[in-house]
């Protein structure tokens, strides 16, 4: 699924039912406008790839074949795709 990042955010994260400081969070969230004009929010564990994704970047969301949940996000590098 291809989309454009409309917002990048740090979601609230809790440990033992206590809200932790944003600087200690290990997750990152994205609000993505899909190519069918549907807006979705996805949250992933931060890694070296998804922390380099910014607002207005074109991305590819990767789904698990069985659960259909989004399991990863990556920058879209296709040359044949136009908005």
């Amino acid at each position: 699924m291809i989309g454009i990042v409309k917002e990048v955010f740090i979601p609230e994260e809790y440990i033992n039912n206590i809200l932790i400081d944003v600087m200690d969070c290990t997750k990152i969230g994205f609000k993505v406008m899909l190519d069918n004009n549907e807006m979705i929010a996805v949250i992933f564990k931060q890694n070296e790839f998804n922390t380099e994704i910014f607002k207005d970047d074109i991305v590819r969301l990767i789904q698990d074949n069985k659960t259909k949940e989004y399991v990863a996000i990556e920058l879209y590098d296709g040359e044949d795709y136009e908005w």
Side-chain angles (χ1 to χ4, degrees), residues 1-6 8 28-34 40 42-63 69-79 81 83:
M1 190 71 56
I2 306 297
I4 296 179
V5 175
K6 295 298 183 180
V8 179
I28 188 168
F30 303 91
K31 289 188 180 176
V32 179
M33 176 72 73
L34 301 178
I40 63 166
V42 291
I43 297 173
F44 302 104
K45 185 169 178 71
Q46 290 181 19
N47 62 40
E48 62 186 282
F49 303 109
N50 62 24
T51 56
E52 295 296 318
I53 296 173
F54 303 101
K55 182 179 177 183
D56 296 326
D57 282 346
I58 298 176
V59 294
R60 178 191 335 253
L61 290 165
I62 300 167
Q63 281 183 312
E69 290 185 24
Y70 295 108
V71 295
I73 189 170
E74 61 185 26
L75 285 171
Y76 183 72
D77 60 358
E79 297 175 10
Y81 192 83
W83 276 94

